[in-house]
Amino acid sequence: MDFSVYLHYWPKLLSGFGNTLFCWATGALLGIALGFALALLRRTGFAPLLWLLRGVIEVVRGTPFLIQLYLLYDGGPAIGLKLGAMQAGILALGIYGSAYFTEIFRAGFAAVPRGQVEAAESLGFSRLDILRRVRLPAMLIAIVPALTNMIIILSKETVVLSVIAVPELMYQMQSMAAETFAALETIIAMAVLYWLMVEAAARLGRAAELRVTAYLRVA
Amino acid sequence: MSGQPVVEMRGVTKRFGQNEVLRGIDLTVNRSDVVCLIGPSGSGKSTLLRCINFLESYDGGEVRIDGRLIGYRDEATRRPMPGRDLQAMRESIGMVFQQFNLWPHMTALDNVAEALIRVRGLPRATAADRARAMLAREGLTDKEAAYPARLSGGQQQRVAIARSLAMEPKLMLFDEPTSALDPELVGEVLQVMRGLAAEGMTMIVVTHEMGFAARVATRVAFLDQGRIAAEGTPRAVLHDSEEPRVRQFLQTYHERNDF
């Protein structure tokens, strides 16, 4: 073991880590936004739209992320979608995540107690206000653990972006391993960094959970 | 608009699949009437009440609030009325539910202030002042900052009543407001409702509290299998009715309270 390789490679490690964080965060946000939008569209109950959305979601959930990434990055230009590696990576993460996030939101909408919505309806609330002030707060209690889970899963999918040469952590570490033959040191550094990232996300998730359920505990 | 009934139902029908829940309801409620709807479970009382603010759509007939059809643009085509119009009509119809249906993530004060802010568009501070006054009326000043989970059932129901009254409705609907309460908490809610009736509020109350119906109602309607089987003054329905279904229904109450 020769940990001195880190002395030379830490700028690469750091920039890789930064890029991983960036791709993860923007990909997750995009996935949540898309997933929420899809869940709202599905609530319109317009049958052809429902079939279409269900089909898209099944395809995205039924194929490996690696293949989706290649399809988007290599196949995109064929339909006029020319993206840089990082753009393609983030978009792919967002699309991949949205298929799962939308199911979480769908379950969340189903978990909102009907009476809370009826109370708002009977007072003359608009649908938008019911969504913002009643449905969302009520569903958050139910879905924060599942959201946290999916965000963590996405963090690990970011390693796949290395195959299209997004300079994220995996990519930088592979080049370090190739140049130094310090394979074990590389893997240890990666494991520690990813674990730190996931642990931080899990803690944030727990804090969010405590926060959205606070009203159940305060005196 | 004196002389105009607040609620007018004519030939209202409603079915859930094969099940005909309402089979032609005619009911007129005038200003300051307190109408109690009684009857066996499954007779359609709650459904009838929920048709009045269109929480439940009705299939046939018409429901008018201050002369205006609710839920549909017109009787002929029965196209749904625009959401904004329905919202505007609901603003003036308060509703109190069996399960209170307070929003658990808001304090008692916020529960009352929310509709004033979102629906009436009042500034936050003005809404909070009005909400505070509404809670004070019910003796709940010390519960302003409490979340519903920390309130007793009776307190929750009184907050829910305050939430509706803050909108200054011209009509209040009560859907079994005391049925989910422990017996010792029923009194405080009925007292609030009695006070409202005394102030001249127009009220329609689905209830199993025969004492309340006997003492507070101006009229009682007995529902059975989706029809109004008897209607009249409390005395006429609860004491003097010859209708066998009414007598049989009331018999269960006499037996239960006979110990």
Side-chain angles (χ1 to χ4, degrees):
Chain A
M1 299 277 262
D2 175 12
F3 291 105
S4 66
V5 287
Y6 300 143
L7 290 177
H8 186 59
Y9 276 91
W10 68 264
K12 269 194 158 184
L13 267 174
L14 208 62
S15 86
F17 190 56
N19 284 334
T20 289
L21 280 180
F22 179 72
C23 290
W24 175 35
T26 48
L29 281 177
L30 182 64
I32 289 171
L34 274 175
F36 188 65
L38 288 177
L40 284 182
L41 282 176
R42 290 169 91 180
R43 290 174 53 76
T44 60
F46 182 57
L49 187 65
L50 290 187
W51 296 328
L52 180 71
L53 292 179
R54 200 173 302 149
V56 171
I57 290 163
E58 287 310 317
V59 168
V60 173
R61 291 202 300 179
T63 53
F65 177 60
L66 180 64
I67 292 174
Q68 293 167 22
L69 183 64
Y70 276 136
L71 268 178
L72 188 69
Y73 187 57
D74 295 334
I79 56 163
L81 192 65
K82 279 184 139 174
L83 296 171
M86 195 179 275
Q87 291 168 319
I90 290 168
L91 183 59
L93 275 176
I95 292 171
Y96 174 77
S98 72
Y100 296 88
F101 284 122
T102 196
E103 288 294 305
I104 295 172
F105 285 118
R106 194 176 60 90
F109 275 118
V112 176
R114 182 136 184 73
Q116 289 185 34
V117 174
E118 288 185 346
E121 285 176 343
S122 75
L123 288 160
F125 278 53
S126 68
R127 290 170 59 121
L128 183 63
D129 280 335
I130 293 177
L131 178 67
R132 285 166 50 216
R133 303 297 298 170
V134 180
R135 286 192 205 270
L136 274 178
M139 70 197 266
L140 274 183
I141 320 169
I143 67 173
V144 164
L147 283 180
T148 308
N149 223 8
M150 189 57 215
I151 291 171
I152 286 172
I153 289 172
L154 270 189
S155 79
K156 295 183 223 172
E157 296 290 355
T158 57
V159 299
V160 177
L161 303 190
S162 62
V163 302
I164 57 167
V166 176
E168 45 72 76
L169 188 55
M170 182 74 173
Y171 182 84
Q172 301 287 28
M173 298 304 281
Q174 277 172 332
S175 77
M176 172 171 130
E179 289 162 20
T180 63
F181 300 105
L184 188 61
E185 290 81 349
T186 307
I187 287 175
I188 290 172
M190 272 178 37
V192 168
L193 286 171
Y194 278 112
W195 174 77
L196 277 177
M197 211 167 82
V198 168
E199 184 59 25
R203 275 169 196 259
L204 279 174
R206 272 196 294 276
E209 203 176 325
L210 286 175
R211 173 141 192 200
V212 298
T213 56
Y215 60 83
L216 296 173
R217 288 181 304 275
V218 291
Chain B
M1 286 205 284
S2 66
Q4 170 96 285
V6 180
V7 180
E8 242 181 319
M9 303 178 86
R10 271 201 296 265
V12 174
T13 60
K14 165 80 183 171
R15 57 164 67 233
F16 292 113
Q18 287 298 305
N19 185 17
E20 262 193 289
V21 194
L22 300 178
R23 304 170 187 237
I25 297 288
D26 297 297
L27 183 72
T28 302
V29 179
N30 293 308
R31 204 160 302 287
S32 297
D33 270 355
V34 177
V35 176
C36 282
L37 301 175
I38 63 169
S41 67
S43 59
K45 311 179 294 282
S46 286
T47 306
L48 189 164
L49 193 76
R50 290 161 58 84
C51 284
I52 295 174
N53 65 353
F54 211 69
L55 275 188
E56 211 74 74
S57 65
Y58 48 96
D59 304 321
E62 51 189 81
V63 179
R64 293 183 179 278
I65 311 296
D66 273 347
R68 184 165 177 208
L69 191 71
I70 190 165
Y72 301 106
R73 283 171 206 253
D74 54 82
E75 295 140 71
T77 63
R78 298 191 87 79
R79 280 181 306 147
M81 94 194 296
R84 210 170 301 148
D85 292 357
L86 182 58
Q87 286 155 29
M89 289 188 76
R90 280 172 171 165
E91 272 184 53
S92 58
I93 309 172
M95 186 163 202
V96 174
F97 301 84
Q98 183 177 355
Q99 299 296 338
F100 329 132
N101 294 345
L102 292 180
W103 301 304
H105 53 284
M106 296 182 203
T107 63
L109 188 75
D110 290 340
N111 261 280
V112 179
E114 189 66 18
L116 298 173
I117 299 167
R118 303 288 152 191
V119 180
R120 283 286 143 81
L122 292 186
R124 203 161 279 278
T126 317
D129 284 344
R130 172 118 53 111
R132 225 166 261 130
M134 295 308 303
L135 287 175
R137 251 181 68 144
E138 309 224 359
L140 289 167
T141 297
D142 56 330
K143 301 294 178 191
E144 280 175 7
Y147 285 90
R150 297 288 162 170
L151 298 175
S152 74
Q155 290 165 342
Q156 287 187 59
Q157 194 60 299
R158 281 150 63 206
V159 173
I161 293 172
R163 175 173 70 175
S164 282
L165 289 179
M167 297 291 284
E168 298 176 324
K170 60 185 170 211
L171 167 69
M172 285 288 289
L173 310 175
F174 292 86
D175 190 2
E176 301 201 29
T178 59
S179 296
L181 297 176
D182 290 337
E184 74 268 25
L185 303 178
V186 168
E188 57 184 277
V189 172
L190 291 183
Q191 196 188 329
V192 172
M193 291 169 62
R194 217 174 288 134
L196 263 182
E199 289 167 24
M201 175 64 77
T202 311
M203 297 161 62
I204 306 176
V205 186
V206 172
T207 189
H208 294 286
E209 295 292 333
M210 294 306 146
F212 178 83
R215 281 187 282 277
V216 183
T218 53
R219 259 180 323 136
V220 172
F222 173 83
L223 260 82
D224 187 56
Q225 295 180 18
R227 289 198 181 86
I228 294 180
E231 190 190 344
T233 64
R235 170 149 285 279
V237 176
L238 298 174
H239 293 278
D240 305 334
S241 177
E242 300 291 331
E243 171 65 43
R245 284 171 298 176
V246 178
R247 299 187 71 94
Q248 192 195 345
F249 173 73
L250 291 174
Q251 189 63 33
T252 63
Y253 281 88
H254 295 311
E255 276 164 18
R256 198 171 66 182
N257 294 326
D258 189 19
F259 52 79

